[in-house]
Structure formats: C-alpha cells, structure tokens
Amino acid sequence: TGAASGLGKGVAQRLAHMGCTLILWDVDEAGNARVAQELNQETKSKRVHAMKCDLTSRESIYECAKKVQDTVGNVTMVINNAGVVSGKPLVECSDASIQRTFDVNVLAHFWILKAFLPSMLDNNHGHVVTVASAAGLTGTARLVDYCSSKFAAVGLHEALTQELYALKKTGVKTTVVCPSFINTGMFEGVKTDVLFPLIKSDDICDKIVEAIRKDQHMLLVPKSLGPALVMKSIISTAAQLEIQSLSGVDHSMDTFVGRR
C-alpha cells in the first residue's frame, strides 16, 4: 500500500527486481500507474499491476482485494506501508483529520488482513509486514493522533504474531518496521538531531527488504532506538519528559511542513 511514492515505491522497486509479482495500491492513480509501468519496463515483464485503492474506505479495500484475487490469485505477502500525518497539536486537528489518520494508519490494516490472511492461514505460508514508526513506541508533541495510530499498528503486529503462534501457523511470518523521521517528504521541515538523524529513503528500503528476507520480527532504525526504549522502560515519566525537552524532541515538529 502507498506504492506511488516514498517507502512504498522504493520497496516495490527492490521486490520487482527480485522477480516478485506485485500489486501496487495507492489513491494516487496516475502516480501509481506510472510506477508500475516503469517497473515492468525495467524488469522486462508484466508482473507489476497497479490498482487505485482508497484506504479510508473499507468497501474500496474489499473491492480491490477481490480484483487482486481475480488478477494474481492468493497473495503471499502483505506490506501495509501507506501512512498519513497531520503534524498539529491535538486540539488543532480536525475530527476528519483524526479519523483519516486512523483509517489509513491502522484500520486499513485490519480490512486488508481480513481479506488476504485466510489463504495464508490455509496454506501456512505468508508474510505480514507492518510499516509502523518510532512514533509507535514513544510519544511526541504535535503527533498525538499519529503516535496513537502507530502504537495501534505495533500492537496489531504483536498480537497477530502471538495469535499465529497460538494457531501453530509458524509458516506465516510477521515483521514490524519502526523508523524515525525519513527524507521521503512526508515529514518535510522536521528538525532532527545527532541521535536520531533524518534517515535516507534508500537506506531504509534496503533494510526493510533485508528484514523481510531474514524473517526479522522487528526492525528499529536507527539502532539507537534500542537503548532509548530500554531506558524508557526503567526511568520515571518525569525523567523521560525532561530528557525529551533537553534533547529538543519536544520541538522537532515545530517547523513541520509535510506534503499535501
């Protein structure tokens, strides 16, 4: 999902060149079709298909899922990548914006999994990739709605992993991706620091594909997120707030511009 640009496009490029059959979903119909055409030309194949899908609509997702089944049959990997961000203080977020954030960032994951997971379970073979965020592991000012949706995505990944194990469906793998800010344009204008610099899109795309191939349960980028999470679990909330304030994280979104 979200294959017309950013991480979605980058991961699709890599998988296409590895010989995968791909269905690209995006609400940007023209951009998505262009990516599919480019990848088919580069790989001299017709394995890449583009479909317009509105992830804020459960009906659209189920309709597109039916088209996917008719086009390529059973799906063996789902990459829930699409995401949106408002970048405003909570009280300045409109009701529609909050609803859209949750529709795209987490609820769409449920409808997509309900559509494609059954065949994976039947065959005990598949892979569910959840592109979440470091914002799904720790809160940040001006990202209350975004962080909440990404916390939900991480929770979905963890609970689904447990459920698959309980069902003895060990052939269905799960990977969650939690990067900090990436230079895809989604977080244009954000202020970063030495500990959590702006990540290059190409670097994270390479790491995502590597994590998929290694059946890696969680991908944290940068690696400094690991120690930060350990510290978060052992220090007080007051200390966490003070550290975030001193590090400048509290104001990282003050200059946020984003993209339309």
Side-chain angles (χ1 to χ4, degrees):
T1 62
S5 61
L7 296 189
K9 178 181 178 180
V11 172
Q13 287 173 328
R14 286 154 177 78
L15 295 178
H17 284 280
M18 292 170 64
C20 296
T21 297
L22 300 175
I23 301 283
L24 311 183
W25 278 10
D26 204 294
V27 73
D28 175 6
E29 187 172 16
N32 202 36
R34 186 165 54 250
V35 171
Q37 182 180 22
E38 290 172 357
L39 293 181
N40 279 326
Q41 289 174 346
E42 291 173 11
T43 59
K44 295 180 174 58
S45 73
K46 296 181 180 180
R47 294 190 308 268
V48 184
H49 310 267
M51 291 184 186
K52 179 180 180 180
C53 189
D54 179 4
L55 296 184
T56 66
S57 167
R58 182 176 57 206
E59 292 74 20
S60 176
I61 290 171
Y62 286 153
E63 182 181 334
C64 288
K66 179 63 169 59
K67 290 180 183 177
V68 171
Q69 297 280 357
D70 294 341
T71 303
V72 299
N74 290 335
V75 166
T76 55
M77 183 182 299
V78 167
I79 303 179
N80 279 316
N81 162 78
V84 295
V85 60
S86 59
K88 298 178 180 178
L90 177 59
V91 294
E92 294 180 17
C93 293
S94 67
D95 293 355
S97 173
I98 292 172
Q99 184 70 57
R100 179 170 173 264
T101 295
F102 276 83
D103 281 339
V104 175
N105 292 3
V106 64
L107 288 177
H109 294 212
F110 281 89
W111 318 141
I112 290 169
L113 289 175
K114 287 193 71 178
F116 297 120
L117 192 58
S119 63
M120 296 187 196
L121 296 176
D122 289 343
N123 297 307
N124 193 23
H125 174 73
H127 203 135
V128 176
V129 182
T130 303
V131 180
S133 170
L137 303 170
T138 185
T140 303
R142 297 176 70 100
L143 286 175
V144 174
D145 57 337
Y146 182 79
C147 287
S148 301
S149 69
K150 291 300 184 177
F151 264 84
V154 172
L156 167 59
H157 158 79
E158 292 188 356
L160 178 62
T161 301
Q162 291 286 349
E163 186 162 282
L164 291 170
Y165 182 81
L167 293 171
K168 295 182 168 49
K169 299 297 182 179
T170 54
V172 183
K173 310 299 183 181
T174 58
T175 297
V176 66
V177 181
C178 295
S180 58
F181 300 123
I182 308 169
N183 68 345
T184 58
M186 183 175 177
F187 281 94
E188 186 69 32
V190 72
K191 288 190 292 188
T192 58
D193 55 29
V194 177
L195 285 177
F196 301 108
L198 199 64
I199 302 170
K200 295 180 180 178
S201 179
D202 281 343
D203 290 345
I204 187 66
C205 288
D206 287 340
K207 290 180 185 298
I208 289 172
V209 173
E210 182 183 7
I212 292 171
R213 299 187 72 186
K214 291 182 176 180
D215 296 332
Q216 187 173 333
H217 179 67
M218 175 177 276
L219 173 63
L220 296 175
V221 183
K223 290 183 178 180
S224 54
L225 280 173
L229 289 177
V230 172
M231 181 178 294
K232 177 188 172 185
S233 68
I234 60 177
I235 66 175
S236 68
T237 300
Q240 291 177 44
L241 293 172
E242 189 66 21
I243 289 171
Q244 284 196 316
S245 178
L246 292 172
S247 67
V249 172
D250 280 357
H251 298 284
S252 60
M253 292 291 293
D254 288 358
T255 53
F256 170 78
V257 176
R259 64 181 176 208
R260 187 170 63 86

